[in-house]
Amino acid sequence: MAAPGRHVGHYIQRNSRFFLNNLEQLWGHRSFGWSPALRQQAAQANKDSTETIVIPRKKTWSKEAVLEALASTVNRDPTAYPYQFQDDPYLSPRNNNEFKMYSLSLESGRAAGKFFVNSNPKFFAKDFAEPHIPCLMPETVSPCLEEVSEEALKERINLRKVTAAVDMYDQLLQAGTAVSMETTHDLLDLICLYCDRNPVQEGGPQTENTTRSSRGRVRQVSDFMKTTWKEGNNAERIFNLLPEKDTRCYSALIRGMVMHGAYAKAFSMYTDLLNNRLTADVHIFNALISATPDVREKYERWELITDLLNQMSQQKVQPNLLTFNSVLKALRTCGTFPKSQALQTLNEMKAVGIGTVTVNTHTCYKLILNSVDILQEVISQLAGCSLTCQDPDDGIKDLELAYKVQSLVEVGENWRMLGDSYQSSIYYGRFFNLLCLMEHVDVVLKWYRRLIPSLYYPNPQGLKDLLQALDTDSRLDLLPTIWKDIRSLGHDNKLDVVEEVLTLMAREKHSPEVQESFAQCALDVKSVFDGESGRPSLNWSTSALSHITSLFLRANKTQQAWKMLQLFKSNNRVPPDWLMDDFLSVCRTDGSAQGAVDLVQLSAAFCLPATAQLAKRTVAEFDLTEEQRLCVGGVQKTHSKKIKNKCISLFHYLRTGL
């Protein structure tokens, strides 16, 4: 009963204003029964009823709208590995090399699966995904139309079958069938793009000629053999057969010639276009500007660029982003005076409302002779903007500027501007290096936890920069925590990184709690040298043995320290004098006279020059038994005799040599 009553109350409240308004209109001339409050309420209802009700237009949502809304509520987990590796925790990469290897393996498996699906489309005809995911369905890789027709030609063009499309075009001409200009444009674009040869099928099987680049992209041997434009190829033949040639036809050939190295022929084709009283488009000018470094000497290139820009103005062709980017790239090859031209180009870009970022911001930075003020202005104008890759190349030790760039990367999907994993690693590596050099260690650690391992796998140099930052701000107590990260990242096999950690821990004394944590960390480091982790062990160095022994002594782990001394002898290393002095001091603190005697004997076995001094301190500072005194005295005599014999041998050697 409560629910119907609530609905009735809601209905009465919603229609009360309508009722009062009509009642006032009906009995307006009889106002003696109205109270002031009631009349005010009726007047307000009348005013509201006169307002126009705007019915909103129906909004059509995409099928991915719900997924996009859910995705926007989830932030990146800085403690998790990249999403692509979360299906198999065993394959979670610990460093950049493993990231490269696992990601390439993942991509290789995906390519193999794609090739299998495309080769056997009849087994994958059913679509279970909602909404539809095109990349999971088989692609059409073979022509379906066999008859000679323009539709069959279009199909081969869409499938990027260059040779088959050219053959179909020739058959149409032999049959006397006219081909539309639009289809001819598409055919010329296809031939010029792939330089008159079939492209390698994406997702196809990898042959022995397939290699991997250092950045992770699959490369064929054909990639290393630069394709060159051949005289009289099918593109030129079809172009010459056309009864009427328009700007689009010239544009396809000129861009293809520039792309495949026929720069002089491209300018000759542009001259032919002008002689036929045609107007070039922006794509033609972009290609010609990018080709200027290959057709003119260094100090003649700007003159040609200026001439092309003037022709653009005369032909009323509006420049776009690629036009200015081509100018900026060409300016880098124009000698030592491109600064004024670069600034002028930037001003023109600003005047027409075009901006260029990423690689070309770096280009501008070099052109204007490292003018940080101008680069600061560019970044300030881009702050908070969501960027879109428009140029194929889109992809400073100033901390404030670095923060501005990073804040720009974090807007929307601007992170895609960083490029592939290799370029992204370089960016984050330099950003982290700059933080370690110029920021407080607390801020460095905040970014360290924010970037690693979800976005960045630090290399050994990055970890050494972090260690130096801890040393600068006297936060060496965090070294055991950083060492655990070093092990998890797989850099515990880098001797320079391991020795840097040991050097910082053993350089000075700390509180007992810190020394205890250092000793535990040193014990873990020792396991790396012993090869207990199942990986190839590191070779013991004198400094590593000395630092670990010293850390054990400071934490009163005398037994482990004695074992370390034995490792000196087994690895043909000689302990330094300061370590033997520290060892003797610990023996005095513990009241271990026998330990002091054993230390003197060990020093004599190493033939250390400090043996006599150790023996003298042992006799003076310890309460020795008669047997221990005789032992120390015998060691002193034996050591003195050995030193004397060595001096005599050296004297005879020098005398004989002279």
Side-chain angles (χ1 to χ4, degrees), residues 453-637:
S454 60
L455 293 176
Y456 171 53
Y457 294 96
N459 55 16
Q461 184 58 47
L463 292 172
K464 291 170 71 174
D465 292 338
L466 176 61
L467 295 175
Q468 291 300 320
L470 295 175
D471 184 23
T472 302
D473 289 327
S474 301
R475 292 301 307 273
L476 298 181
D477 57 296
L478 297 174
L479 285 174
T481 303
I482 301 302
W483 169 250
K484 292 180 181 179
D485 293 342
I486 291 174
R487 293 212 66 175
S488 65
L489 291 169
H491 290 302
D492 53 349
N493 61 344
K494 307 296 190 300
L495 184 60
D496 54 341
V497 176
V498 176
E499 290 193 344
E500 183 72 17
V501 174
L502 292 174
T503 301
L504 292 176
M505 288 194 298
R507 190 178 59 191
E508 54 192 23
K509 293 183 178 181
H510 299 271
S511 63
E513 295 80 7
V514 175
Q515 289 298 161
E516 179 64 27
S517 66
F518 281 0
Q520 294 297 329
C521 181
L523 195 62
D524 193 44
V525 173
K526 179 179 177 295
S527 67
V528 174
F529 281 94
D530 293 338
E532 296 179 4
S533 59
R535 304 174 62 185
S537 59
L538 298 176
N539 294 324
W540 282 107
S541 63
T542 301
S543 61
L545 287 167
S546 302
H547 292 325
I548 293 178
T549 306
S550 177
L551 290 170
F552 286 157
L553 288 174
R554 292 175 185 174
N556 297 321
K557 297 182 180 298
T558 311
Q559 294 299 324
Q560 286 91 338
W562 274 109
K563 292 179 181 178
M564 292 301 300
L565 278 182
Q566 302 304 320
L567 288 176
F568 276 96
K569 190 173 183 179
S570 60
N571 288 277
N572 296 321
R573 298 289 187 268
V574 179
D577 294 343
W578 63 266
L579 181 62
M580 306 303 287
D581 290 336
D582 290 347
F583 227 113
L584 189 62
S585 299
V586 171
C587 291
R588 184 182 60 184
T589 303
D590 296 341
S592 176
Q594 186 58 43
V597 174
D598 294 341
L599 184 66
V600 173
Q601 291 178 332
L602 186 61
S603 177
F606 282 114
C607 297
L608 295 179
T611 303
Q613 182 65 26
L614 289 174
K616 186 181 297 185
R617 283 186 57 190
T618 301
V619 174
E621 299 176 7
F622 291 87
D623 186 13
L624 303 177
T625 64
E626 188 63 27
E627 183 181 356
Q628 291 172 340
R629 285 181 180 275
L630 291 174
C631 182
V632 173
V635 169
Q636 280 183 298
K637 291 180 181 179

Side-chain angles (χ1 to χ4, degrees), residues 140-143 153 155-167 187 190 194 197-199 201:
T140 304
V141 294
S142 57
L153 174 59
E155 182 188 41
R156 284 154 177 76
I157 293 174
N158 293 330
L159 294 175
R160 298 182 298 173
K161 304 289 185 180
V162 178
T163 304
V166 172
D167 292 341
L187 177 61
L190 178 68
Y194 294 107
R197 64 176 187 176
N198 289 322
Q201 181 183 351

